[in-house]
Structure formats: C-alpha cells, structure tokens
Amino acid sequence: MNRLIPIPESPSLWRNRSRWNVARFWNWTVRRRLHEFTSRKTHRSLVPVFTGAGARVTQEAGTGLPHTAVTQGQLEVLLAAVAESETMDSPIVEIGSFRGVTTRALAAATKRTVVAVDPYLGEGGHEKDLALFREHTDGMTNIRHVRDVSDAAFTSWSGEAISMVFIDAIHEYLHAWYDFAAWGSLVAPSGFVAFHDVDAFPGVNRVCQRVLKECPQWKPWAYAPNIAIFQRRD
Ligand SMILES: C[S@@+](CC[C@H](N)C(=O)[O-])C[C@H]1O[C@@H](n2cnc3c(N)ncnc32)[C@H](O)[C@@H]1O
C-alpha cells in the first residue's frame, strides 16, 4: 500500500453523527463549507501545469453521451489510461457509477475486473439509476457492483492492490480528497488515479491542485476538459 499520504477521516462519518454532536457541527457544518468557499476562490485551469509537465492535453471535451456526464473526449483519455495499464492484473475501481455507462466502457476495454462502488442512496444516484446501471452492464462478466458508500467500501476492501481508480462520486473537496487518499493508497506503481469534474467542481479542482503541489509520487498524465489523470511513479 502507498502510505505516503495519510488517509483522513471520511466526511460521511461526521454527517451520520447526531445533529448536536460538536465534532459534526465543526467538521460537517463549518469546516466542510469553509473548504468549499476556499475551493471557489482558488479555482483555476489545470491546463498550464499539465501542459508544462508534458502530459497528454486535449482541449476538446468531445460529444456528450447519453446517461452520463462523461463525454466522448473524456472517455477517450480514460480508455487510454486503461490501455496503458493493461499489463497489470489488479482491478479498476470506479467510485460513483451512476447509470453504468462509463463502467461498461471501462469493462469492455479490459480483461481486468471493474469494481463499481455506488450506494444509490438518493445522493446523485437513485433506485431508477441502479436499474439503468443493471441494464447497461448486463452481460458484462468482469463488473462487480459494491452497493456501499466509498468509505465503507474502502474499509471493507481486502487490501488488494488496484491498477486504476476513477473518482466520480461526491464532488466536494473533503470527499474527493478522502477518495484520493484512500483509494489512491491502493494503486500500484504505474497505475492511475482519474478525477472527473475537475473544472465544473471547485472542490475537485482544488484536490488536483493539492496533488500537483504535495504529492510528487503522482505525475500529471492526461487532461481533457473536466477530467484529469495522474499516474503513480514507481
Ligand atoms: C456523477 S455520478 C457518477 C457518474 C459515473 N461515473 C459516470 O461516468 O456515468 C455520481 C454517483 O456517485 C454516487 N455516490 C454518491 N455518494 C457516494 C459515495 N459516498 N460513495 C460512492 N458513490 C457515491 C451517486 O449515487 C451517483 O450515482
């Protein structure tokens, strides 16, 4: 496990505490909002730094796809990372799978298992989205759905290394940072962390800025509008 980045307490744990809990009030009600405020103030384009680092940079998002916010252009860079890591055997994990369109595309492009983590609790994904997930991933034998929130799925994970994680669940700073620190710790050398909504959501954008600034073991690998991919150095 890549333990260089401490794994913080999951913000979801604070939310689930009693409304009168002081730690909940501070962390969930105050600190979380302050982080979103700071993220809005520090939001910036990732293009210059990805370009400067020699990453693959595309300026076109490409056409939209039905049942997902992921565009054709974003899918292309994701699938390039899948192809680049195809010599690895360990699973690919998608945090937030919604209607399964990206899940299916990832699974169709690899022999590896794709683990889709999504609780369908009404926060972005509902029962009707789960029904569509099942429809879209029907017949794909290398997809495993974990119906749980990110932190619970991580806590019950076997510890097996993974080759790639696509982070696309709750787009606030503290949640996205937790997903990166936790799931990123499982990524084997040369594997990938991909973030969706890096331009649309200030919190995710700020997580990418923090990775660039504080995590030299993660190299900027590819960018297309609203998606950024980092590769773990050996
Ligand atoms: C933006 S959608 C994911 C889109 C999907 N990756 C795609 O490419 O089509 C966000 C998903 O995150 C899920 N979600 C919400 N909270 C979550 C959590 N704590 N852990 C994992 N998934 C979560 C929602 O149910 C929703 O389906």
Side-chain angles (χ1 to χ4, degrees):
M1 226 191 235
N2 172 16
R3 282 281 186 208
L4 292 171
I5 299 159
I7 300 174
E9 206 180 358
S10 164
S12 303
L13 295 175
W14 308 322
R15 180 187 45 192
N16 296 337
R17 289 186 188 149
S18 145
R19 276 181 173 273
W20 311 110
N21 181 292
V22 176
R24 180 193 196 272
F25 177 74
W26 167 243
N27 285 302
W28 183 256
T29 310
V30 180
R31 202 173 139 244
R32 186 176 60 95
R33 289 183 188 166
L34 284 175
H35 272 299
E36 288 316 294
F37 177 78
T38 306
S39 300
R40 284 194 292 279
K41 294 287 173 204
T42 56
H43 192 193
R44 62 174 65 99
S45 168
L46 299 172
V47 172
V49 58
F50 270 70
T51 306
R56 164 190 170 141
V57 174
T58 315
Q59 297 283 11
E60 289 295 317
T63 50
L65 298 169
H67 295 292
T68 179
V70 170
T71 64
Q72 188 60 43
Q74 294 161 9
L75 197 53
E76 276 164 23
V77 292
L78 263 184
L79 295 184
V82 172
E84 181 79 10
S85 54
E86 195 56 17
T87 51
M88 302 168 88
D89 293 331
S90 45
I92 295 173
V93 178
E94 182 184 26
I95 309 295
S97 45
F98 194 50
R99 297 181 178 169
V101 173
T102 307
T103 324
R104 187 183 178 94
L106 293 171
T110 185
K111 292 197 272 306
R112 286 165 277 173
T113 300
V114 176
V115 180
V117 176
D118 198 313
Y120 297 99
L121 277 177
E123 201 171 348
H126 300 75
E127 286 294 333
K128 66 174 177 14
D129 302 307
L130 174 57
L132 284 163
F133 171 88
R134 290 187 174 133
E135 200 179 294
H136 292 144
T137 58
D138 189 37
M140 303 296 292
T141 54
N142 62 336
I143 293 177
R144 181 161 67 86
H145 176 213
V146 176
R147 190 171 186 180
D148 218 336
V149 289
S150 171
D151 54 319
F154 176 73
T155 305
S156 55
W157 187 261
S158 64
E160 180 187 8
I162 63 177
S163 50
M164 178 166 164
V165 58
F166 178 38
I167 296 174
D168 194 14
I170 301 180
H171 296 321
E172 290 183 357
Y173 174 77
L174 287 176
H175 282 94
W177 181 259
Y178 172 85
D179 288 343
F180 165 71
W183 293 97
S185 75
L186 297 171
V187 174
S190 303
F192 294 96
V193 170
F195 293 94
H196 195 230
D197 285 313
V198 299
D199 300 316
F201 284 81
V204 187
N205 180 276
R206 186 162 153 237
V207 167
C208 290
Q209 292 182 47
R210 186 170 170 190
V211 175
L212 290 163
K213 194 169 160 201
E214 296 178 19
C215 308
Q217 66 273 41
W218 290 100
K219 172 175 83 174
W221 188 80
Y223 168 92
N226 224 13
I227 192 163
I229 304 184
F230 295 84
Q231 183 176 37
R232 194 185 145 187
R233 297 180 206 272
D234 289 344

